[in-house]
Amino acid sequence: MVNNFAVKCNICGCKIRFRYQVSEEMCPISFLCPNCKTHINGDLQTIWHYGKESVEERPWHYNLNLNNACEIKYEDGEYVLELSSDFLTKKMSKNSGVYIPSPFIRSLSIGKDNQNSRFYNFLSAWTEKWNEIKINLDLCHNEKYDILLSRFTKSYDFFPNDINAIMTTHQQLVYFCHKILPKSTLREYTKMNKNIIKLLAKQSQEFKNFISIFDLEYVKDAERKLLHLIKLFLDMYPKFLPIFNSLKLDNVDDCGISTLSFEDIKSFYQDSYELILAVLPEIIGLNNISRRRCLNNFVCGTHDFNAKINSYSSKYMLYQELLDRNDIFSWIITDRIQNHLRNSIGHFNYEEDPVEQTITFTDKHKDKVSKFSKSLIEVARDCIYMFYTLINLLEVNYSLLKILTIDAKA
């Protein structure tokens, strides 16, 4: 069921007809005015008149909250924008009066496998539990461990309070997130943990060399930073629901999204990029020990580990030159690390087309200038894969945290 109504940009007066795919869920709204590029955002909630059908003229009404735009008396408007909390939409277009299938019908026509129940189930859990979990993540990030532990009924009493709190929070978060992770993730985590324990048993001296660099304080600090960024992504989960529901679709060139804009996600992409590359030496070190039997044996030859890592002026070159995709721990880093995209965001060299939903990036390096474009859907998918990498790195840190803490108590 689609409901039509009109809004007007408060800045330039541009009129836009909304085609809302009616849903039970809160529908986030985020887009740029097609005329003046002002960011318009808010949400839409359908209120059903269950039990009042005999006295209500319509079966529902909706609560619309918008920043920088307001609802006006219904008219066609200059542009048409579909709204959907669940599905990809048609890109914004000039109003032509031509019939357009609803987002729901369109999703059925382009969908391969519509098994999206786990993403909806997670949304229910998110609505019910996320605020409490988010408080725990903030307490952990701010090192308020005693307060944090008082919020749990069970914890790892064997460990000191700081480690106890971090580990309990970690377990709560991973259990909470498992529905939106790739289905093989928990199985891969079990294998990864076993592989790290094997390194500890079979390559004990090299593993000692490894943990002399990536010691308890390093791992605790990385854990806190990872938890913080994961929290920022999960805060935005309802905005990403249409993207999660479309991950299996190959051709989405003609599709758009109404729940988020580039403005909503660019900081997350940049911050994730920086943190992933900061933690990447851990993965390179584990690969060196597991594949080449020595911390100092890189894919490019034998070098002192610290000297080699610090010899690069660009952390991205570590990713390019020292991460062999065939090594056992490399799957942890998903291939969505794009230096030219990060540079463009960091230097504000980008321009978003609100109608086509494409972002044109300009990467300037010395005397070289290159331009490239990505759709908003592509960048949003990149953010999901960045989120997967953050969760994977969190699990690596968790394994190291347990080993280092137990070793410290021995």
Side-chain angles (χ1 to χ4, degrees):
M1 183 186 305
V2 171
N3 192 30
N4 287 271
F5 53 97
V7 301
K8 180 177 72 173
C9 173
N10 290 342
I11 310 305
C12 69
C14 179
K15 297 174 182 177
I16 304 161
R17 175 161 63 94
F18 281 172
R19 299 183 72 246
Y20 169 49
Q21 176 73 62
V22 179
S23 169
E24 298 277 354
E25 309 297 342
M26 174 77 75
C27 181
I29 301 170
S30 186
F31 67 98
L32 298 186
C33 171
N35 184 51
C36 68
K37 295 190 177 181
T38 295
H39 186 206
I40 297 172
N41 66 312
D43 55 64
L44 179 63
Q45 177 69 66
T46 303
I47 309 297
W48 297 90
H49 300 160
Y50 295 127
K52 299 181 180 179
E53 291 82 358
S54 60
V55 295
E56 294 287 352
E57 182 179 349
R58 304 183 69 181
W60 75 85
H61 73 272
Y62 53 83
N63 290 337
L64 175 65
N65 300 296
L66 285 179
N67 297 311
N68 301 323
C70 59
E71 187 173 4
I72 58 176
K73 184 177 179 181
Y74 179 73
E75 52 186 279
D76 281 341
E78 302 164 53
Y79 290 87
V80 178
L81 176 66
E82 291 185 338
L83 303 178
S84 175
S85 62
D86 310 89
F87 308 110
L88 295 183
T89 61
K90 187 178 184 297
K91 293 177 182 177
M92 186 185 297
S93 62
K94 283 278 191 177
N95 190 14
S96 64
V98 176
Y99 168 75
I100 304 172
S102 71
F104 173 71
I105 296 298
R106 191 179 303 109
S107 73
L108 292 180
S109 66
I110 64 174
K112 284 182 178 179
D113 178 3
N114 206 25
Q115 295 179 0
N116 297 323
S117 59
R118 62 195 182 109
F119 300 130
Y120 291 110
N121 289 341
F122 182 79
L123 182 62
S124 297
W126 186 93
T127 303
E128 180 183 348
K129 300 175 182 177
W130 172 235
N131 190 60
E132 286 298 307
I133 295 174
K134 182 164 63 171
I135 290 170
N136 293 344
L137 294 177
D138 284 337
L139 288 170
C140 191
H141 181 73
N142 295 318
E143 300 185 19
K144 302 297 182 182
Y145 299 127
D146 290 339
I147 298 173
L148 177 55
L149 285 173
S150 71
R151 293 170 57 83
F152 294 115
T153 55
K154 292 183 179 180
S155 59
Y156 298 89
D157 296 332
F158 174 74
F159 300 110
N161 271 11
D162 56 347
I163 306 301
N164 186 2
I166 292 170
M167 292 175 67
T168 307
T169 304
H170 174 101
Q171 288 288 70
Q172 182 189 47
L173 178 68
V174 173
Y175 179 77
F176 177 70
C177 287
H178 79 276
K179 282 189 174 69
I180 57 171
L181 299 175
K183 290 185 177 180
S184 62
T185 299
L186 296 182
R187 183 171 68 250
E188 293 297 332
Y189 284 173
T190 302
K191 288 167 57 178
M192 179 185 68
N193 186 55
K194 289 179 179 178
N195 285 329
I196 291 175
I197 291 173
K198 282 181 184 178
L199 294 184
L200 175 63
K202 296 183 178 181
Q203 301 282 332
S204 58
Q205 185 55 53
E206 290 303 318
F207 199 82
K208 285 180 181 178
N209 295 338
F210 173 85
I211 61 176
S212 70
I213 298 170
F214 303 105
D215 60 12
L216 186 58
E217 286 306 309
Y218 177 97
V219 171
K220 280 173 57 181
D221 184 59
E223 187 89 3
R224 287 175 50 252
K225 292 173 180 175
L226 288 163
L227 286 170
H228 182 66
L229 268 185
I230 290 165
K231 185 207 78 170
L232 295 182
F233 178 86
L234 289 173
D235 264 342
M236 298 186 287
Y237 178 74
K239 296 182 178 183
F240 276 94
L241 180 59
I243 301 294
F244 273 102
N245 281 337
S246 68
L247 285 177
K248 292 186 178 181
L249 301 181
D250 296 327
N251 186 2
V252 293
D253 293 343
D254 296 328
C255 297
I257 183 169
S258 63
T259 57
L260 56 78
S261 67
F262 183 61
E263 190 69 24
D264 297 318
I265 59 178
K266 62 185 179 67
S267 294
F268 174 78
Y269 184 94
Q270 183 178 359
D271 291 347
S272 297
Y273 173 100
E274 299 294 346
L275 183 55
I276 289 167
L277 291 188
V279 180
L280 179 61
E282 282 186 40
I283 307 306
I284 294 171
L286 290 171
N287 278 338
N288 288 356
I289 299 171
S290 63
R291 184 72 176 267
R292 290 169 288 277
R293 306 302 183 207
C294 178
L295 181 65
N296 295 324
N297 287 349
F298 295 87
V299 292
C300 57
T302 301
H303 308 271
D304 176 79
F305 186 84
N306 277 330
K308 184 63 177 175
I309 293 295
N310 294 327
S311 68
Y312 289 91
S313 58
S314 165
K315 292 179 181 178
Y316 183 69
M317 296 309 295
L318 300 177
Y319 173 75
Q320 286 285 83
E321 297 185 8
L322 301 184
L323 186 71
D324 186 336
R325 300 303 187 272
N326 295 317
D327 283 352
I328 191 168
F329 291 98
S330 293
W331 68 271
I332 290 164
I333 310 291
T334 54
D335 285 322
R336 300 294 173 121
I337 311 296
Q338 300 175 54
N339 187 50
H340 54 319
L341 178 55
R342 179 266 168 209
N343 287 344
S344 298
I345 295 173
H347 296 104
F348 298 96
N349 293 326
Y350 55 84
E351 185 174 356
E352 186 174 358
D353 184 325
V355 176
E356 290 299 319
Q357 289 200 344
T358 57
I359 304 97
T360 299
F361 301 94
T362 303
D363 186 15
K364 298 178 180 179
H365 180 66
K366 296 182 179 179
D367 296 327
K368 296 181 180 179
V369 178
S370 61
K371 288 192 174 186
F372 61 100
S373 295
K374 289 176 75 76
S375 72
L376 179 59
I377 290 174
E378 286 180 296
V379 180
R381 283 181 171 181
D382 287 344
C383 286
I384 288 177
Y385 290 109
M386 291 288 232
F387 164 70
Y388 289 163
T389 293
L390 294 172
I391 290 281
N392 293 344
L393 289 170
L394 189 73
E395 192 66 19
V396 173
N397 266 290
Y398 183 61
S399 297
L400 295 176
L401 188 67
K402 288 187 291 184
I403 290 170
L404 288 164
T405 307
I406 292 170
D407 184 62
K409 290 180 69 70

